[in-house]
Amino acid sequence: MMGHANLLFASGQHQQCSEVLLEVIRQVPNLADPYHTLGSLHETMGRPREALNFFMIAAHMTGKDASLWHRLAVMSDQQGFTRQAIYCWSKVLVKEQDNFEARFARARLYPLVNEPWKAKQQYQLLLDKHPGHPEVVKALVQLYHDYDQTGRAIELLEEQLDKYYSYVDLTHINMLTELYMTMGYYGDAIQLINRSESVICKQEPLPIDLKARRGACHLHMGDVTNAQPDLDQLLAHPVVDQDGETVQDLYILVIQECSKLGLHREALPFMDKLAATPGALQVADDWLMLAECYCKAGELAQAVGMYTHKLEELGFGDKRYLECALQLVQLHAEGGDAATATSLLSQLEDAIAQHLLVLPEGEGQQLTLFLDKALLLLRLGQREAFAESLLPHVTSLLEQAENNAAIIKAANQASASGAIPKELVRALKRRKMFARKGQRKQEAGGEVASVFKGYISKDRRRPHVKEADRAAEQLLRRARAAGAVSGAENTDFEPDEDEAAAVGQKESDNLPAELAALVAAATSDQEDMPDLFGDPKLYGCFIEMVHVLLELGQGEQAAALVTRARAVAAVTVGTKDTPWRGPAVAQKGRRGSGWPSKAGAIDGNISDWGPAAAEASAAAVAADRRNAARQLREGLRLLAAEVEAKKGNTEEAAKMLKTVLPRWPYSWRAWSLYCSCTAQLGRLQHWMKAVAALRAKHPDSLALQVLAAHVDNMSGDHTIASQGYASALIRQLPNEPLLLLCLGVAQIDAALARHCKERNTTMLRGFAALHTYARHRGPAAEAEAAYNLGRAAHEVGLLHLAVAHYERVLQLADGAQEKVGAAADQTTQQLAELRIQQQQQGQQGQQGQQQQGQQQQGQQQQGQQQQGQQQQ
């Protein structure tokens, strides 16, 4: 029969061949040949998945054919079955322990399943047997780089250069150069490239990528003369040559390095050539980078022209059009062309309303673009439009979050009630965790379509735990059959689909209330909705919307939104990792510079790779998450205090702030609001005590340092207050106008004190600080600065200087804005008082002169009388 099957296979009669082979398997199920032939048959018919399955069965039956395991490993890797490929390579190594290809390929796959420590061990074994092997060194350096072990990567490459220089090629040089630049070792990078040029590249020119990096290193070293030849050669090289090879990454490297150093003019030729090259800059992030560099170079028109050209190329049918158009609107807004920006934004809104634009497919990207458009409205001063566009979306998110919070709260109450067995509660929580983070390895390990499921540990669950897991899975299937959406996957011990559906239809309404609440929490789809508190941009827009509503006089609506958000956060954002919550926030991968990224990368900060280190890292991440949750709740409390203060409930706002300030001693926003509330309530003594107490606990807080200086100044300790202001200026906020103003006022008050020893010096220091304050305030606040200088001169009695400053304020008030007009009103009042003082001083001077003249006349008369008496 096997011979007949082989003849049918050779003659192309695949269907008949398959039937004969299946009959052979039915008669002799332990024979490997029919499985192997079926694998070849399916491979010929273009069915690689079925071919792989049959080959796997044949390989397990024979067990001694290393070449077949090798073939299966390659096929598994090509089809994405990583664990199965690792298993097959391990089978090859069992038969051939010195097989370099198998061990190297298996090491390459370990990081893809979050086991980089195993990859490191395999690479080290290869290096022990093959010292200095160039490909192994490259792979191990790549592994170190992917997990942020830059120091180890540099040590390995330097050892390769010292001991095994005959194995070194330009790829090693390129890797080490980039690592040197990452660590800031620009001089070492230049020496390495120069040595490679003289030793490795004797008969051929140095590659353009090394020349570009050498030029960038010379720029960092401040040697523009030596950098120019390498950069000129890169500039002469086309961005995309005739063969389609591109050096766009090198252009971007030079542009970014020049931008970091502030050499924007040197980067302009590279930017212009890159922007003018057809086919270059296909990624929106590259457009944004180039636009930012143009703006830093003062060439805003070039950035606008680049985006305008890109819009013309893309058209409405391109998914990148909306993002590009929003960036163009932002550029117009930054350039002060609000009319053009508003017009473009209106055209975009019309195109979206008419469904002319093709939006990105991902909901997350659509949400990001929507928030960008809303923030542009706010930047253009359209606050009402910003609130109107964002309010329905935020309201909808809060409604969904409130529903999930109610489910979580009911589940927590049911868990604490004791009505449901603890093992069943834990099993439902485990099913929810598996739905969020992936199934257990015993339940497929993510490779559900493969024959081999990956390395699995022995099922060490106790019988009662297995029974609870089975009962929990049956409950979830009943809920799914009744119409709920379950995140659980089918497992080996699950009942049949039809049977589960029938049971669910009959018994879904008979669950106790507590158990129904737990099942609802385990089957809720929280991962499909945007996270109001987890998305930084979305949460920032929510805060901005609350502030806009307060500015528009809609305080009640703002208070209602904040109250709802706090209620949701109190349940869903707990200090503990509640199992009923949605999925953990996925960390975005680090963007490298030309290095391929590894899937499933773990925390790169761990130095001792392995399961124990991973568990320690997970504990640290959990602690950081709890700290972030606490800060989020306190931030919402601070926002609620702002709302209450804006509504006039100063007492309630002060109560909220008392619990926030001990945890937020470094927040200017919190202290500013607290100072405003205490000033309105007239509780100056309480404010001074609170500042002194927290200042003692947090001496490094800049906000408390400035407030303590205010307290000293108000208490009459002007010298100590001046020291506090000066310390804040020198250490943390140099040339801050507010602190310079406070320092000048404190110095002048100290000079006017009764027991001041260096009165003139202190007075000069005070006026010097005030003049420095006026210079840093700039022309936009010249009226404010002139008024403060006039008040200072008025205070010390320099009336002629005060009059000059007051008159300058009145000159600036003609045709000025409201702020200058308000300053002018105060100036007029102060000038009137000053005139009265001058008149009083003049009258007093006249009276003094009259009295002095009368005294002189009396003295003369007395002298004449005395002379007359002497003559008599």
Side-chain angles (χ1 to χ4, degrees):
M1 292 181 68
M2 282 299 303
H4 180 56
N6 290 331
L7 289 175
L8 292 174
F9 179 39
S11 62
Q13 301 179 30
H14 298 158
Q15 183 63 31
Q16 293 84 347
C17 178
S18 177
E19 294 175 358
V20 173
L21 290 173
L22 290 176
E23 182 62 27
V24 174
I25 292 173
R26 280 191 291 270
Q27 295 182 13
V28 190
N30 294 329
L31 185 62
D33 292 341
Y35 292 103
H36 193 283
T37 307
L38 279 172
S40 301
L41 176 64
H42 283 289
E43 190 175 22
T44 304
M45 297 173 64
R47 299 173 182 174
R49 182 70 58 83
E50 291 80 0
L52 176 61
N53 293 341
F54 282 112
F55 282 140
M56 283 292 295
I57 298 173
H60 279 90
M61 285 185 172
T62 57
K64 298 180 181 180
D65 191 354
S67 62
L68 180 56
W69 284 113
H70 183 284
R71 182 181 180 186
L72 287 171
V74 175
M75 293 177 65
S76 299
D77 191 12
Q78 291 175 351
Q79 297 184 29
F81 299 140
T82 305
R83 289 191 176 275
Q84 181 169 292
I86 293 174
Y87 173 77
C88 295
W89 288 122
S90 299
K91 286 291 187 180
V92 175
L93 290 172
V94 170
K95 309 300 179 185
E96 302 173 357
Q97 295 184 359
D98 294 333
N99 192 315
F100 176 86
E101 181 183 359
R103 194 173 298 278
F104 184 77
R106 188 176 67 169
R108 182 182 57 83
L109 294 176
Y110 275 130
L112 302 180
V113 293
N114 286 336
E115 295 176 350
W117 55 90
K118 292 184 179 180
K120 176 188 172 185
Q121 294 171 357
Q122 296 302 310
Y123 288 138
Q124 290 291 352
L125 287 175
L126 289 174
L127 286 178
D128 293 340
K129 295 182 179 180
H130 307 278
H133 193 284
E135 298 302 322
V136 178
V137 171
K138 294 175 188 177
L140 187 53
V141 168
Q142 178 70 63
L143 181 68
Y144 284 144
H145 180 272
D146 289 338
Y147 293 93
D148 291 337
Q149 304 293 321
T150 308
R152 293 185 180 183
I154 291 177
E155 291 175 1
L156 181 60
L157 286 173
E158 288 179 343
E159 181 182 359
Q160 183 79 358
L161 289 173
D162 293 338
K163 297 182 180 180
Y164 311 103
Y165 197 80
S166 59
Y167 294 151
V168 174
D169 56 20
L170 290 176
T171 304
H172 295 98
I173 303 301
N174 212 335
M175 282 182 159
L176 186 55
T177 301
E178 185 170 349
L179 292 172
Y180 277 152
M181 294 180 67
T182 302
M183 299 297 292
Y185 305 152
Y186 300 108
D188 295 338
I190 294 173
Q191 293 178 5
L192 175 64
I193 296 174
N194 291 337
R195 180 185 175 188
S196 303
E197 185 177 18
S198 60
V199 176
I200 300 179
C201 301
K202 292 181 179 179
Q203 306 298 329
E204 57 184 9
L206 189 69
I208 190 64
D209 53 351
L210 289 178
K211 289 183 179 180
R213 287 188 169 87
R214 183 170 62 182
C217 291
H218 278 302
L219 289 178
H220 276 281
M221 298 293 291
D223 191 357
V224 181
T225 304
N226 288 326
Q228 201 62 43
D230 291 330
L231 298 182
D232 290 341
Q233 291 188 30
L234 176 62
L235 194 60
H237 195 283
V239 179
V240 181
D241 58 13
Q242 297 178 354
D243 298 332
E245 296 184 1
T246 177
V247 293
Q248 174 179 321
D249 57 335
L250 300 179
Y251 273 77
I252 293 176
L253 170 68
V254 173
I255 292 170
Q256 290 178 340
E257 296 299 326
C258 289
S259 180
K260 291 178 184 178
L261 298 172
L263 304 173
H264 306 299
R265 289 296 172 185
E266 286 76 1
L268 277 178
F270 297 92
M271 292 190 286
D272 294 338
K273 187 172 182 179
L274 192 60
T277 301
L281 298 175
Q282 296 297 320
V283 183
D285 290 341
D286 294 338
W287 307 340
L288 180 59
M289 179 275 302
L290 202 60
E292 290 177 351
C293 293
Y294 270 128
C295 293
K296 291 178 180 178
E299 299 290 341
L300 182 62
Q302 295 285 349
V304 171
M306 181 193 68
Y307 269 107
T308 304
H309 180 66
K310 286 294 178 184
L311 285 179
E312 295 175 354
E313 288 183 354
L314 297 177
F316 284 160
D318 197 298
K319 298 177 182 179
R320 300 169 294 174
Y321 185 90
L322 180 58
E323 183 176 1
C324 182
L326 290 176
Q327 292 295 336
L328 181 59
V329 173
Q330 184 173 358
L331 288 174
H332 281 296
E334 291 177 356
D337 192 357
T340 304
T342 305
S343 176
L344 286 175
L345 202 56
S346 301
Q347 294 176 13
L348 278 179
E349 292 177 350
D350 294 340
I352 294 174
Q354 298 174 12
H355 302 285
L356 298 177
L357 282 179
V358 177
L359 299 178
E361 296 179 357
E363 294 183 1
Q365 191 173 1
Q366 291 182 7
L367 176 62
T368 301
L369 294 178
F370 169 74
L371 296 177
D372 290 339
K373 184 171 71 68
L375 290 174
L376 283 174
L377 290 173
L378 182 62
R379 183 166 188 171
L380 293 172
Q382 302 179 17
R383 296 181 299 172
E384 295 84 355
F386 168 77
E388 290 176 0
S389 63
L390 200 59
L391 185 59
H393 187 74
V394 171
T395 304
S396 175
L397 286 179
L398 282 176
E399 291 177 357
Q400 298 179 23
E402 285 171 344
N403 294 334
N404 287 325
I407 294 174
I408 293 173
K409 187 175 181 180
N412 290 333
Q413 293 175 354
S415 301
S417 64
I420 307 300
K422 292 184 179 179
E423 290 299 333
L424 182 57
V425 174
R426 293 171 183 169
L428 288 170
K429 290 181 179 180
R430 283 195 295 271
R431 302 312 299 176
K432 181 64 176 179
M433 180 186 66
F434 295 155
R436 286 163 39 200
K437 299 182 179 180
Q439 302 298 306
R440 297 165 57 240
K441 290 183 181 179
Q442 290 85 349
E443 300 174 7
E447 296 181 4
V448 295
S450 62
V451 173
F452 176 74
K453 304 302 181 184
Y455 284 109
I456 59 175
S457 60
K458 184 179 179 180
D459 191 354
R460 301 181 184 277
R461 293 177 297 166
R462 296 181 179 180
H464 68 280
V465 176
K466 293 182 181 180
E467 185 63 27
D469 285 340
R470 187 175 293 109
E473 192 60 37
Q474 290 177 358
L475 286 172
L476 295 180
R477 291 181 66 86
R478 287 170 57 184
R480 180 169 56 188
V485 180
S486 176
E489 297 289 342
N490 295 337
T491 58
D492 296 335
F493 53 79
E494 291 177 351
D496 183 74
E497 184 74 26
D498 297 335
E499 179 184 352
V503 172
Q505 291 176 358
K506 293 180 180 179
E507 303 180 5
S508 59
D509 297 333
N510 299 328
L511 293 178
E514 294 83 358
L515 188 56
L518 291 172
V519 172
T523 56
S524 61
D525 281 339
Q526 304 170 45
E527 57 268 22
D528 294 336
M529 57 177 291
D531 190 357
L532 178 60
F533 306 119
D535 189 339
K537 181 174 287 188
L538 180 58
Y539 183 62
C541 287
F542 170 73
I543 295 177
E544 290 292 343
M545 188 188 67
V546 171
H547 290 158
V548 168
L549 290 176
L550 291 175
E551 293 175 1
L552 296 176
Q554 303 178 20
E556 295 297 334
Q557 192 171 10
L561 289 174
V562 175
T563 302
R564 294 173 63 184
R566 291 183 63 195
V568 170
V571 179
T572 59
V573 186
T575 55
K576 295 182 180 180
D577 188 13
T578 307
W580 306 124
R581 282 194 334 200
V585 179
Q587 296 182 357
K588 297 182 179 179
R590 175 177 49 83
R591 295 178 60 189
S593 54
W595 296 77
S597 61
K598 292 293 182 182
I602 61 175
D603 186 4
N605 294 326
I606 58 176
S607 56
D608 184 16
W609 292 349
E615 291 178 1
S617 177
V621 170
D624 292 340
R625 183 171 56 246
R626 289 193 297 269
N627 186 36
R630 184 178 66 250
Q631 290 184 358
L632 175 63
R633 292 194 304 273
E634 292 171 354
L636 288 172
R637 189 177 184 87
L638 177 58
L639 185 62
E642 288 186 70
V643 173
E644 294 298 330
K646 194 71 174 181
K647 290 171 57 181
N649 300 331
T650 311
E651 185 72 30
E652 185 66 24
K655 290 180 181 179
M656 292 181 178
L657 289 171
K658 285 182 180 179
T659 59
V660 175
L661 288 174
R663 295 185 180 273
W664 288 42
Y666 304 92
S667 173
W668 288 94
R669 172 184 164 204
W671 280 110
S672 176
L673 183 60
Y674 181 69
C675 293
S676 175
C677 292
T678 52
Q680 294 180 31
L681 295 173
R683 299 175 181 174
L684 183 60
Q685 295 298 326
H686 293 282
W687 172 75
M688 296 173 70
K689 291 180 180 179
V691 170
L694 288 177
R695 170 67 172 159
K697 294 181 179 179
H698 306 280
D700 57 338
S701 172
L702 178 60
L704 283 172
Q705 181 179 356
V706 175
L707 289 177
H710 291 339
V711 170
D712 293 332
N713 199 20
M714 296 174 66
S715 302
D717 298 332
H718 306 299
T719 303
I720 299 177
S722 300
Q723 294 174 357
Y725 294 135
S727 176
L729 280 166
I730 294 172
R731 295 180 180 179
Q732 302 188 47
L733 290 176
N735 301 325
E736 171 61 33
L738 176 60
L739 293 182
L740 288 169
L741 176 62
C742 294
L743 177 60
V745 172
Q747 291 277 16
I748 290 174
D749 289 340
L752 295 177
R754 180 178 300 177
H755 302 290
C756 182
K757 296 181 179 179
E758 299 179 355
R759 191 179 307 276
N760 294 334
T761 303
T762 306
M763 186 74 68
L764 287 176
R765 289 175 180 171
F767 275 100
L770 289 178
H771 280 282
T772 306
Y773 144 78
R775 185 172 66 255
H776 286 288
R777 283 294 284 164
E782 185 180 357
E784 171 198 321
Y787 174 76
N788 288 325
L789 285 170
R791 287 285 293 126
H794 192 171
E795 184 72 19
V796 300
L798 300 174
L799 302 184
H800 61 289
L801 295 178
V803 169
H805 288 299
Y806 287 153
E807 290 178 349
R808 178 58 180 165
V809 174
L810 295 178
Q811 291 177 0
L812 294 172
D814 296 337
Q817 299 177 355
E818 295 181 357
K819 292 183 179 180
V820 179
D825 294 338
Q826 297 178 1
T827 302
T828 303
Q829 181 180 358
Q830 295 295 333
L831 193 58
E833 294 179 359
L834 189 147
R835 297 295 187 189
I836 294 173
Q837 290 181 3
Q838 285 182 335
Q839 291 178 1
Q840 292 176 353
Q841 290 180 358
Q843 293 176 359
Q844 292 176 359
Q846 292 178 359
Q847 292 177 359
Q849 291 178 359
Q850 291 177 359
Q851 292 177 0
Q852 185 177 3
Q854 292 176 358
Q855 291 176 0
Q856 290 178 356
Q857 291 179 0
Q859 291 176 359
Q860 290 178 359
Q861 292 177 358
Q862 290 178 1
Q864 292 176 0
Q865 291 177 1
Q866 291 176 359
Q867 289 179 0
Q869 291 175 0
Q870 290 178 359
Q871 291 176 0
Q872 292 177 359

